[in-house]
Amino acid sequence: MRSPRRRASRAGLITTLVASFLATTTAGSPSPLPPPSVAAAADGFASVAALGQDGTTGGAGGAVVTAATTAEFLDYISRPGPLVVQVSGTITLPTGSSDGMHPVASDKTIVGLGSTARLTGGGLRIGLPVNDRVTSPPADAVHNIIIRNLSFDGATDDLINIQMFSHHIWIDHNDFSDGDDGAVDIKRGSDLITVSWNRFHDHDKTLLLGHDDDNAAQDRGRLRVTYHHNHFDASDQRNPRVRFAEPVHVYNNYYRDNSYGVASAMDAGVVLEGNYFHSVNNPARVDFSGGLGRLVARDNILVECNHPVETRGSVVEPRTYYAYTPHRAAEVPAVVPAGAGAGRI
């Protein structure tokens, strides 16, 4: 649906070496909260101890390497064992026989150096090959991955695709634009993921959470994701579009000039909290397509929006799983654009 308006624990194990080159001096904020980038530790669902993983630590404990060429990058991200992969400059990902989607092995931190690190022309696949017969997490599910401070653009498919029960993923402080399909798609039983402090712009189908109305066998009871402090800067739709998942925590995001913000369907449960919607045709919906979703809303601000937030039913509270302290919705238009995206840590 389109309108006339087009339109950021338990991961404290991350090494002090990684924290030191990511951290910067804290800037002023309307709130006393310290920027999460300073701590360099995952929060939200990525911080939860489960599935044999104590939060998300990425490549902590492994060597630190720098990739400046395509060959180096593809080699490093596919190696077994923990590794911190620093990206220097622009790396073009080839299309080849994979439609440009390149697999990332478990226990990796992929982080851009400075403000100019960029992956273009292809995307990253986090997860085993698709197998509809697998309906519970396999022992070799891809897990424990951190992706930070990178610009992604120009993919012939998704910019990042997370699939097949992958878990403990932290996608933080990146810039996403101009992908052919999804920006960050999460599907097929993937779980315990945080998408934080990213900027999404010049992109249509942004965030898919659950890919199909008929995939309850893999998805129900999983797909637990936290989306916080993201800047949806005229990213048109699916910010996110949710099936089956509960709870999905969408808080302190800044929406500007979108056809719709959040869609909850197929009995998904979303907590929508402290977000700011400016010029969004449909900020949040539960009557979308397929079965009705559920949505609890609190402290959201709507400005120049065509429709109200749709609410329905009750949803498991995110605090059941982790502690957090949100900004007030009124602070979001200042806090999020100033801190979201690559080059901000």
Side-chain angles (χ1 to χ4, degrees):
M1 297 186 62
R2 302 177 185 274
S3 75
R5 302 176 179 90
R6 285 279 311 167
R7 347 283 146 281
S9 138
R10 292 181 184 269
L13 300 177
I14 291 181
T15 60
T16 55
L17 174 61
V18 178
S20 66
F21 71 71
L22 295 180
T24 57
T25 302
T26 304
S29 167
S31 142
L33 295 176
S37 55
V38 172
D43 56 8
F45 274 114
S47 71
V48 173
L51 300 175
Q53 181 68 32
D54 189 9
T56 303
T57 58
V64 179
V65 296
T66 299
T69 69
T70 300
E72 288 173 336
F73 179 76
L74 294 180
D75 173 25
Y76 292 146
I77 68 171
S78 64
R79 290 187 183 184
L83 196 65
V84 176
V85 182
Q86 302 176 149
V87 177
S88 177
T90 295
I91 291 178
T92 300
L93 298 176
T95 301
S97 60
S98 65
D99 201 20
M101 300 303 297
H102 299 277
V104 181
S106 296
D107 304 312
K108 298 292 178 292
T109 295
I110 305 173
V111 59
L113 291 176
S115 60
T116 61
R118 174 184 174 219
L119 299 179
T120 187
L124 301 181
R125 190 195 81 210
I126 300 173
L128 299 170
V130 168
N131 187 340
D132 290 333
R133 296 186 301 275
V134 177
T135 58
S136 61
D140 59 345
V142 178
H143 63 282
N144 193 30
I145 292 173
I146 297 171
I147 300 176
R148 307 185 78 211
N149 200 43
L150 285 162
S151 292
F152 292 80
D153 65 80
T156 54
D157 195 343
D158 299 327
L159 296 167
I160 296 179
N161 173 45
I162 304 171
Q163 66 182 30
M164 288 306 296
F165 303 93
S166 296
H167 61 93
H168 289 92
I169 317 292
W170 185 29
I171 311 293
D172 177 73
H173 277 96
N174 302 287
D175 186 284
F176 295 95
S177 65
D178 192 31
D180 192 60
D181 196 358
V184 180
D185 283 0
I186 303 170
K187 54 197 181 186
R188 295 185 178 275
S190 296
D191 203 7
L192 301 170
I193 297 167
T194 297
V195 179
S196 56
W197 294 94
N198 303 285
R199 179 180 175 230
F200 300 93
H201 62 98
D202 298 300
H203 193 89
D204 182 14
K205 300 173 182 178
T206 312
L207 304 173
L208 185 66
L209 182 56
H211 75 290
D212 192 273
D213 290 356
D214 296 324
N215 204 54
Q218 289 183 327
D219 290 344
R220 196 179 299 280
R222 303 182 180 95
L223 301 180
R224 291 169 293 183
V225 180
T226 304
Y227 299 96
H228 75 83
H229 293 90
N230 298 290
H231 187 185
F232 296 107
D233 188 3
S235 56
D236 190 52
Q237 58 179 313
R238 299 185 182 178
N239 299 298
R241 191 253 197 267
V242 184
R243 296 175 173 95
F244 297 113
E246 183 183 8
V248 179
H249 193 193
V250 181
Y251 80 93
N252 283 166
N253 300 285
Y254 181 41
Y255 294 83
R256 187 195 65 81
D257 203 18
N258 321 100
S259 66
Y260 77 83
V262 180
S264 177
M266 301 305 297
D267 199 39
V270 175
V271 174
L272 187 75
E273 177 178 17
N275 302 282
Y276 195 102
F277 297 88
H278 182 205
S279 186
V280 180
N281 184 40
N282 275 291
R285 306 186 62 181
V286 296
D287 187 358
F288 188 69
S289 68
L292 295 174
R294 291 170 289 124
L295 190 145
V296 170
R298 52 181 177 252
D299 187 35
N300 299 287
I301 293 177
L302 280 60
V303 176
E304 298 180 13
C305 296
N306 294 333
H307 300 280
V309 168
E310 296 178 1
T311 60
R312 176 178 178 265
S314 61
V315 180
V316 174
E317 279 293 327
R319 292 188 196 280
T320 305
Y321 295 92
Y322 57 84
Y324 67 99
T325 304
H327 286 91
R328 293 181 296 109
E331 298 173 316
V332 165
V335 170
V336 171
R344 305 297 180 92
I345 60 174

Coordinates of all heavy atoms in Angstrom, one line a residue, residues 104-179:
V104 N 27.9 -15.9 5.8 CA 28.8 -15.6 7.0 C 28.8 -16.7 8.0 O 27.7 -17.2 8.3 CB 28.2 -14.3 7.6 CG1 29.1 -13.9 8.8 CG2 28.1 -13.1 6.6
A105 N 29.9 -17.1 8.4 CA 30.0 -18.2 9.4 C 29.8 -17.7 10.8 O 29.9 -16.5 11.1 CB 31.4 -18.9 9.3
S106 N 29.5 -18.6 11.7 CA 29.3 -18.3 13.1 C 30.5 -17.6 13.8 O 31.6 -17.7 13.3 CB 29.0 -19.5 13.9 OG 27.8 -20.1 13.5
D107 N 30.2 -16.8 14.8 CA 31.3 -16.2 15.7 C 32.1 -15.2 14.9 O 33.3 -15.3 14.9 CB 32.2 -17.3 16.3 CG 31.4 -18.3 17.1 OD1 30.5 -18.0 17.9 OD2 31.6 -19.6 16.9
K108 N 31.4 -14.3 14.3 CA 32.1 -13.2 13.5 C 31.6 -11.9 14.0 O 30.4 -11.6 14.2 CB 31.8 -13.4 12.0 CG 32.3 -14.7 11.4 CD 33.8 -14.7 11.4 CE 34.3 -16.1 10.8 NZ 34.0 -17.2 11.7
T109 N 32.5 -10.9 14.1 CA 32.2 -9.5 14.1 C 32.7 -8.9 12.8 O 33.9 -9.1 12.4 CB 32.9 -8.8 15.3 OG1 32.4 -9.3 16.5 CG2 32.7 -7.3 15.2
I110 N 31.8 -8.3 12.1 CA 32.1 -7.6 10.8 C 31.9 -6.1 11.1 O 30.8 -5.7 11.3 CB 31.3 -8.1 9.6 CG1 31.4 -9.6 9.5 CG2 31.7 -7.4 8.4 CD1 30.5 -10.2 8.5
V111 N 32.9 -5.3 11.0 CA 32.8 -3.9 11.4 C 33.6 -3.0 10.5 O 34.7 -3.3 10.1 CB 33.3 -3.7 12.9 CG1 34.8 -4.1 13.1 CG2 33.1 -2.3 13.4
G112 N 33.0 -1.9 10.1 CA 33.6 -1.0 9.2 C 34.6 -0.1 10.0 O 34.4 0.3 11.1
L113 N 35.7 0.3 9.3 CA 36.7 1.2 9.8 C 36.3 2.6 9.4 O 36.1 2.9 8.2 CB 38.1 0.9 9.3 CG 38.7 -0.4 9.9 CD1 40.0 -0.7 9.2 CD2 38.9 -0.4 11.4
G114 N 36.2 3.5 10.3 CA 35.9 4.9 10.0 C 34.5 5.1 9.5 O 33.6 4.3 9.8
S115 N 34.3 6.1 8.6 CA 33.0 6.4 8.1 C 32.7 6.0 6.7 O 31.7 6.3 6.1 CB 32.7 7.9 8.3 OG 33.6 8.6 7.6
T116 N 33.7 5.4 6.0 CA 33.6 5.1 4.6 C 33.5 3.6 4.2 O 33.6 3.3 3.0 CB 34.8 5.8 3.9 OG1 36.0 5.2 4.3 CG2 34.8 7.3 4.1
A117 N 33.5 2.7 5.2 CA 33.4 1.3 4.9 C 32.1 1.0 4.3 O 31.0 1.3 4.8 CB 33.6 0.5 6.2
R118 N 32.2 0.2 3.1 CA 30.9 0.0 2.4 C 31.0 -1.4 1.7 O 32.0 -1.8 1.2 CB 30.9 1.1 1.3 CG 29.7 1.0 0.3 CD 29.9 2.1 -0.7 NE 28.9 2.0 -1.9 CZ 29.2 2.3 -3.1 NH1 30.5 2.7 -3.4 NH2 28.3 2.1 -4.1
L119 N 29.8 -2.0 1.7 CA 29.6 -3.3 0.9 C 28.6 -2.9 -0.2 O 27.5 -2.5 0.1 CB 29.2 -4.4 1.8 CG 30.1 -4.8 2.9 CD1 29.4 -6.0 3.7 CD2 31.5 -5.3 2.4
T120 N 28.9 -3.2 -1.4 CA 28.0 -2.8 -2.5 C 27.9 -3.9 -3.5 O 28.8 -4.8 -3.7 CB 28.5 -1.5 -3.2 OG1 27.5 -1.1 -4.2 CG2 29.8 -1.7 -3.9
G121 N 26.8 -4.0 -4.2 CA 26.6 -4.9 -5.3 C 26.1 -6.3 -4.9 O 25.6 -7.0 -5.8
G122 N 26.2 -6.7 -3.7 CA 25.7 -7.9 -3.2 C 25.3 -7.8 -1.7 O 25.3 -6.7 -1.2
G123 N 24.9 -9.0 -1.1 CA 24.5 -8.9 0.3 C 25.1 -10.1 1.1 O 25.8 -10.9 0.6
L124 N 24.8 -10.1 2.4 CA 25.2 -11.1 3.3 C 24.1 -12.1 3.6 O 23.0 -11.7 4.0 CB 25.8 -10.5 4.5 CG 27.0 -9.5 4.4 CD1 27.4 -9.0 5.7 CD2 28.1 -10.1 3.6
R125 N 24.4 -13.4 3.6 CA 23.4 -14.4 4.0 C 23.9 -15.0 5.3 O 25.0 -15.6 5.4 CB 23.3 -15.5 3.0 CG 22.1 -16.5 3.3 CD 22.2 -17.7 2.5 NE 23.1 -18.7 3.0 CZ 23.8 -19.6 2.4 NH1 23.8 -19.6 1.0 NH2 24.7 -20.4 3.0
I126 N 23.1 -14.9 6.3 CA 23.4 -15.5 7.6 C 22.4 -16.7 7.8 O 21.3 -16.5 8.0 CB 23.2 -14.5 8.8 CG1 24.2 -13.3 8.6 CG2 23.5 -15.1 10.1 CD1 24.0 -12.2 9.5
G127 N 23.0 -17.9 7.7 CA 22.1 -19.0 7.8 C 22.4 -20.2 6.9 O 23.0 -20.0 5.8
L128 N 22.0 -21.4 7.3 CA 22.2 -22.6 6.5 C 21.3 -22.5 5.2 O 20.3 -21.7 5.2 CB 21.8 -23.8 7.3 CG 22.6 -24.0 8.6 CD1 22.0 -25.1 9.4 CD2 24.1 -24.4 8.2
P129 N 21.5 -23.3 4.2 CA 20.6 -23.4 3.1 C 19.2 -23.7 3.5 O 19.0 -24.4 4.5 CB 21.2 -24.5 2.2 CG 22.7 -24.5 2.6 CD 22.7 -24.2 4.1
V130 N 18.2 -23.2 2.8 CA 16.8 -23.4 3.1 C 16.5 -24.9 3.0 O 16.8 -25.6 2.1 CB 15.9 -22.6 2.1 CG1 14.5 -23.0 2.2 CG2 16.1 -21.1 2.4
N131 N 15.7 -25.4 4.1 CA 15.2 -26.7 4.1 C 13.9 -26.7 4.9 O 13.9 -26.6 6.1 CB 16.2 -27.7 4.8 CG 15.8 -29.1 4.7 OD1 14.7 -29.5 4.5 ND2 16.8 -30.0 4.9
D132 N 12.8 -26.9 4.1 CA 11.5 -26.8 4.7 C 11.2 -27.9 5.7 O 10.3 -27.8 6.5 CB 10.4 -26.8 3.7 CG 10.4 -25.5 2.9 OD1 10.8 -24.4 3.4 OD2 10.0 -25.5 1.7
R133 N 12.0 -29.0 5.6 CA 11.7 -30.2 6.5 C 12.3 -30.0 7.9 O 11.9 -30.7 8.8 CB 12.3 -31.5 5.8 CG 11.7 -31.8 4.5 CD 12.2 -33.2 4.0 NE 13.7 -33.2 3.8 CZ 14.2 -32.7 2.7 NH1 13.5 -32.3 1.7 NH2 15.6 -32.7 2.6
V134 N 13.2 -29.0 8.0 CA 13.8 -28.8 9.3 C 12.9 -27.8 10.1 O 12.6 -26.7 9.6 CB 15.2 -28.2 9.2 CG1 15.8 -27.8 10.6 CG2 16.1 -29.1 8.4
T135 N 12.3 -28.3 11.3 CA 11.4 -27.4 12.0 C 11.8 -27.1 13.4 O 11.0 -26.6 14.2 CB 10.0 -28.1 12.0 OG1 10.1 -29.4 12.6 CG2 9.4 -28.2 10.6
S136 N 13.1 -27.4 13.8 CA 13.6 -27.0 15.0 C 15.1 -26.6 14.8 O 15.7 -27.1 13.9 CB 13.4 -28.1 16.1 OG 14.1 -29.3 15.7
P137 N 15.7 -25.9 15.7 CA 17.1 -25.4 15.5 C 18.1 -26.5 15.4 O 18.2 -27.3 16.3 CB 17.3 -24.5 16.7 CG 16.0 -24.1 17.2 CD 15.1 -25.2 16.9
P138 N 18.8 -26.7 14.3 CA 19.8 -27.7 14.2 C 21.0 -27.3 15.0 O 21.3 -26.2 15.3 CB 20.1 -27.7 12.7 CG 19.8 -26.3 12.2 CD 18.6 -25.8 13.1
A139 N 21.8 -28.3 15.3 CA 23.0 -28.1 16.1 C 24.0 -27.2 15.4 O 24.8 -26.5 16.1 CB 23.7 -29.5 16.4
D140 N 24.0 -27.2 14.1 CA 25.0 -26.3 13.4 C 24.4 -25.0 12.9 O 24.9 -24.4 12.0 CB 25.6 -27.1 12.2 CG 24.6 -27.6 11.2 OD1 23.3 -27.6 11.6 OD2 25.0 -28.0 10.1
A141 N 23.3 -24.6 13.5 CA 22.7 -23.3 13.1 C 23.7 -22.2 13.2 O 24.5 -22.1 14.2 CB 21.4 -23.0 13.9
V142 N 23.7 -21.3 12.2 CA 24.6 -20.1 12.3 C 24.2 -19.2 13.5 O 23.0 -19.0 13.7 CB 24.6 -19.4 11.0 CG1 25.5 -18.2 11.0 CG2 25.0 -20.3 9.8
H143 N 25.2 -18.7 14.2 CA 24.9 -18.0 15.4 C 26.0 -17.0 15.8 O 27.2 -17.2 15.3 CB 24.6 -18.9 16.6 CG 25.8 -19.8 17.0 ND1 26.1 -20.9 16.3 CD2 26.7 -19.6 18.0 CE1 27.2 -21.4 16.8 NE2 27.5 -20.7 17.9
N144 N 25.7 -16.1 16.6 CA 26.7 -15.2 17.3 C 27.5 -14.3 16.3 O 28.7 -14.5 16.1 CB 27.7 -16.0 18.1 CG 28.6 -15.2 19.0 OD1 28.1 -14.1 19.5 ND2 29.8 -15.6 19.3
I145 N 26.7 -13.4 15.6 CA 27.3 -12.6 14.6 C 27.0 -11.1 14.9 O 25.8 -10.8 15.3 CB 26.8 -13.0 13.2 CG1 27.3 -14.3 12.8 CG2 27.1 -11.9 12.2 CD1 26.8 -14.9 11.6
I146 N 27.9 -10.2 14.8 CA 27.8 -8.8 14.9 C 28.1 -8.1 13.6 O 29.2 -8.4 13.1 CB 28.7 -8.3 16.1 CG1 28.2 -8.9 17.4 CG2 28.6 -6.7 16.2 CD1 29.2 -8.6 18.6
I147 N 27.3 -7.2 13.2 CA 27.6 -6.4 12.0 C 27.4 -5.0 12.3 O 26.2 -4.5 12.7 CB 26.7 -6.8 10.8 CG1 26.9 -8.3 10.5 CG2 26.9 -5.9 9.6 CD1 26.0 -8.9 9.4
R148 N 28.4 -4.1 12.2 CA 28.3 -2.7 12.7 C 29.1 -1.8 11.7 O 30.1 -2.2 11.1 CB 28.9 -2.6 14.1 CG 28.3 -3.5 15.1 CD 28.9 -3.2 16.5 NE 28.2 -2.0 17.1 CZ 28.8 -1.2 17.9 NH1 30.1 -1.3 18.3 NH2 28.1 -0.1 18.4
N149 N 28.6 -0.6 11.7 CA 29.3 0.5 11.1 C 29.7 0.3 9.6 O 30.8 0.7 9.2 CB 30.6 0.8 11.9 CG 31.1 2.2 11.7 OD1 30.4 3.2 11.6 ND2 32.4 2.4 11.5
L150 N 28.7 -0.2 8.9 CA 28.9 -0.4 7.4 C 27.8 0.2 6.6 O 26.6 0.3 7.1 CB 28.9 -1.9 7.1 CG 30.2 -2.7 7.5 CD1 29.9 -4.2 7.6 CD2 31.3 -2.4 6.5
S151 N 28.1 0.6 5.4 CA 27.0 1.0 4.5 C 26.8 -0.1 3.5 O 27.8 -0.7 3.0 CB 27.5 2.3 3.7 OG 27.5 3.4 4.6
F152 N 25.6 -0.5 3.3 CA 25.2 -1.5 2.3 C 24.3 -0.9 1.2 O 23.4 -0.1 1.5 CB 24.3 -2.6 3.0 CG 25.0 -3.4 4.0 CD1 25.2 -2.9 5.3 CD2 25.4 -4.7 3.7 CE1 25.9 -3.7 6.3 CE2 26.1 -5.5 4.7 CZ 26.3 -5.0 6.0
D153 N 24.6 -1.2 0.0 CA 23.8 -0.7 -1.1 C 23.9 -1.5 -2.3 O 24.9 -2.2 -2.5 CB 24.1 0.8 -1.4 CG 25.5 1.0 -2.0 OD1 25.7 0.8 -3.2 OD2 26.4 1.4 -1.2
G154 N 23.0 -1.4 -3.2 CA 23.1 -1.9 -4.6 C 23.0 -3.4 -4.7 O 23.4 -4.0 -5.7
A155 N 22.5 -4.1 -3.7 CA 22.4 -5.6 -3.8 C 21.4 -6.0 -4.8 O 20.3 -5.4 -5.0 CB 22.0 -6.2 -2.4
T156 N 21.7 -7.1 -5.5 CA 20.7 -7.6 -6.5 C 19.6 -8.5 -5.8 O 18.7 -8.9 -6.5 CB 21.4 -8.5 -7.5 OG1 22.2 -9.5 -6.9 CG2 22.4 -7.6 -8.4
D157 N 19.8 -8.8 -4.5 CA 18.7 -9.5 -3.8 C 18.6 -8.7 -2.4 O 18.3 -7.5 -2.5 CB 19.2 -10.9 -3.6 CG 18.0 -11.8 -3.1 OD1 17.0 -11.3 -2.6 OD2 18.2 -13.1 -3.2
D158 N 18.8 -9.4 -1.3 CA 18.7 -8.7 0.0 C 20.0 -8.1 0.3 O 21.1 -8.6 -0.1 CB 18.3 -9.7 1.1 CG 16.9 -10.3 0.9 OD1 16.1 -9.6 0.3 OD2 16.8 -11.5 1.3
L159 N 20.0 -7.0 1.2 CA 21.3 -6.5 1.7 C 21.8 -7.4 2.8 O 23.0 -7.7 2.8 CB 21.0 -5.1 2.2 CG 20.7 -4.1 1.1 CD1 20.2 -2.8 1.7 CD2 21.9 -3.8 0.2
I160 N 20.9 -7.8 3.7 CA 21.2 -8.9 4.7 C 20.0 -9.8 4.8 O 18.9 -9.3 4.9 CB 21.5 -8.3 6.1 CG1 22.8 -7.5 6.1 CG2 21.7 -9.5 7.1 CD1 23.2 -6.9 7.4
N161 N 20.2 -11.1 4.7 CA 19.2 -12.1 4.8 C 19.6 -13.1 5.9 O 20.7 -13.7 5.9 CB 19.0 -12.9 3.5 CG 18.0 -14.1 3.7 OD1 17.0 -13.9 4.3 ND2 18.4 -15.2 3.2
I162 N 18.7 -13.2 7.0 CA 18.9 -14.1 8.1 C 17.9 -15.2 8.0 O 16.7 -15.0 8.0 CB 18.9 -13.3 9.4 CG1 19.8 -12.1 9.4 CG2 19.1 -14.2 10.6 CD1 19.7 -11.2 10.6
Q163 N 18.4 -16.5 8.0 CA 17.4 -17.6 7.8 C 17.8 -18.9 8.5 O 18.9 -18.9 9.1 CB 17.4 -17.9 6.3 CG 18.7 -18.4 5.7 CD 18.6 -18.7 4.2 OE1 17.8 -18.0 3.5 NE2 19.3 -19.7 3.7
M164 N 17.0 -19.8 8.5 CA 17.2 -21.2 9.0 C 17.7 -21.3 10.4 O 18.8 -21.8 10.7 CB 18.1 -21.9 8.0 CG 17.4 -22.3 6.7 SD 15.8 -23.3 6.9 CE 16.4 -24.8 7.7
F165 N 16.9 -20.7 11.4 CA 17.2 -20.8 12.8 C 18.5 -20.2 13.2 O 19.0 -20.5 14.3 CB 17.2 -22.3 13.2 CG 15.9 -23.0 12.8 CD1 15.7 -23.7 11.6 CD2 14.8 -22.9 13.7 CE1 14.5 -24.3 11.3 CE2 13.6 -23.5 13.4 CZ 13.5 -24.2 12.1
S166 N 19.0 -19.3 12.5 CA 20.2 -18.5 12.9 C 19.8 -17.7 14.2 O 18.6 -17.2 14.3 CB 20.6 -17.5 11.8 OG 21.1 -18.3 10.7
H167 N 20.7 -17.5 15.1 CA 20.3 -16.9 16.3 C 21.5 -16.1 16.9 O 22.6 -16.3 16.5 CB 19.8 -17.9 17.4 CG 20.8 -18.9 17.8 ND1 21.6 -18.8 18.9 CD2 21.1 -20.1 17.2 CE1 22.4 -19.9 19.0 NE2 22.1 -20.7 18.0
H168 N 21.1 -15.1 17.8 CA 22.1 -14.2 18.4 C 22.8 -13.4 17.3 O 24.0 -13.6 17.1 CB 23.0 -14.9 19.4 CG 22.3 -15.4 20.6 ND1 21.8 -16.7 20.7 CD2 22.0 -14.8 21.8 CE1 21.2 -16.8 21.9 NE2 21.3 -15.7 22.6
I169 N 22.1 -12.5 16.8 CA 22.7 -11.6 15.7 C 22.4 -10.2 16.2 O 21.3 -9.8 16.6 CB 22.0 -11.8 14.4 CG1 21.8 -13.3 14.1 CG2 22.7 -11.1 13.3 CD1 23.0 -14.1 13.8
W170 N 23.4 -9.3 16.0 CA 23.3 -7.9 16.3 C 23.7 -7.1 15.1 O 24.8 -7.1 14.6 CB 24.2 -7.5 17.5 CG 24.1 -6.1 18.0 CD1 23.0 -5.3 18.0 CD2 25.1 -5.4 18.7 NE1 23.2 -4.1 18.5 CE2 24.5 -4.1 19.0 CE3 26.4 -5.6 19.0 CZ2 25.2 -3.1 19.6 CZ3 27.1 -4.6 19.7 CH2 26.6 -3.4 20.0
I171 N 22.7 -6.3 14.6 CA 22.9 -5.5 13.4 C 22.8 -4.0 13.9 O 21.7 -3.6 14.2 CB 21.8 -5.7 12.3 CG1 21.7 -7.2 12.0 CG2 22.1 -4.9 11.1 CD1 22.8 -7.9 11.4
D172 N 23.9 -3.3 13.9 CA 23.9 -2.0 14.7 C 24.7 -1.0 13.9 O 25.8 -1.2 13.4 CB 24.6 -2.3 16.0 CG 24.7 -1.0 16.9 OD1 23.7 -0.5 17.4 OD2 25.8 -0.6 17.0
H173 N 24.2 0.2 13.9 CA 24.9 1.4 13.3 C 25.3 1.2 11.9 O 26.5 1.4 11.6 CB 26.0 1.8 14.2 CG 25.6 2.7 15.4 ND1 25.4 2.2 16.6 CD2 25.4 4.0 15.5 CE1 25.1 3.1 17.5 NE2 25.1 4.3 16.8
N174 N 24.4 0.8 11.1 CA 24.7 0.6 9.6 C 23.8 1.5 8.8 O 22.8 2.1 9.3 CB 24.5 -0.8 9.2 CG 25.3 -1.8 10.0 OD1 26.5 -1.9 9.8 ND2 24.7 -2.6 10.9
D175 N 24.1 1.7 7.5 CA 23.3 2.4 6.6 C 22.9 1.5 5.5 O 23.7 0.8 4.9 CB 24.2 3.6 6.0 CG 23.4 4.5 5.1 OD1 23.1 4.1 4.0 OD2 23.1 5.6 5.6
F176 N 21.6 1.4 5.2 CA 21.0 0.5 4.2 C 20.2 1.3 3.2 O 19.4 2.0 3.5 CB 20.1 -0.5 4.9 CG 20.7 -1.5 5.9 CD1 20.8 -1.2 7.2 CD2 21.3 -2.6 5.4 CE1 21.4 -2.0 8.1 CE2 21.9 -3.5 6.3 CZ 22.0 -3.2 7.7
S177 N 20.6 1.0 1.9 CA 19.8 1.7 0.8 C 19.9 0.9 -0.5 O 20.8 0.1 -0.7 CB 20.3 3.1 0.6 OG 21.7 3.0 0.1
D178 N 18.9 1.1 -1.3 CA 19.0 0.6 -2.7 C 19.2 -0.8 -2.9 O 20.0 -1.2 -3.8 CB 20.0 1.5 -3.5 CG 19.9 1.3 -5.0 OD1 18.8 1.1 -5.5 OD2 20.9 1.4 -5.7
G179 N 18.6 -1.7 -2.1 CA 18.7 -3.1 -2.4 C 17.5 -3.5 -3.3 O 16.5 -2.9 -3.3

